[in-house]
């Protein structure tokens, strides 16, 4: 996830979805329509620049773990 956030696309919304698409995690602007089942989380430009709070990071990690457990059942 960290690499995907670091290499995110440019967005005028200053907000991105973290998604799992074609066997990889990537980030896309929130104004792009995607199926909700592939969304792992959301973050803002401020979070990307200033860092995530431990609560935010734990929430993203927890959701990703749950997502992958369901995916590989």
């Amino acid at each position: 996830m960290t690499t995907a956030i670091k290499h995110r696309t440019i967005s005028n919304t200053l907000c991105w979805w973290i998604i799992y698409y074609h066997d990889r995690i990537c980030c896309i602007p929130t104004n792009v329509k995607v199926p909700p089942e592939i969304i792992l989380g959301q973050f803002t430009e401020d979070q990307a620049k200033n860092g995530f709070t431990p609560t935010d990071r734990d929430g993203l990690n927890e959701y990703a773990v749950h997502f992958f457990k369901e995916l590989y059942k």
Side-chain angles (χ1 to χ4, degrees), residues 8-69:
R8 66 193 179 278
T9 60
I10 296 171
S11 172
N12 60 356
T13 65
L14 302 179
C15 196
W16 292 264
W17 297 119
I18 302 170
I19 64 169
Y20 186 71
Y21 187 69
H22 288 280
D23 296 327
R24 64 182 214 152
I25 295 174
C26 54
C27 298
I28 59 169
T30 55
N31 59 351
V32 176
K33 299 268 188 207
V34 296
E37 331 44 87
I38 67 170
I39 297 173
L40 301 176
Q42 181 179 345
F43 68 96
T44 64
E45 180 68 20
D46 287 340
Q47 288 172 308
K49 282 185 179 178
N50 301 325
F52 291 82
T53 66
T55 304
D56 292 338
R57 177 59 77 179
D58 289 348
L60 288 173
N61 289 338
E62 183 178 319
Y63 189 81
V65 167
H66 175 73
F67 175 85
F68 287 109
K69 281 183 179 178

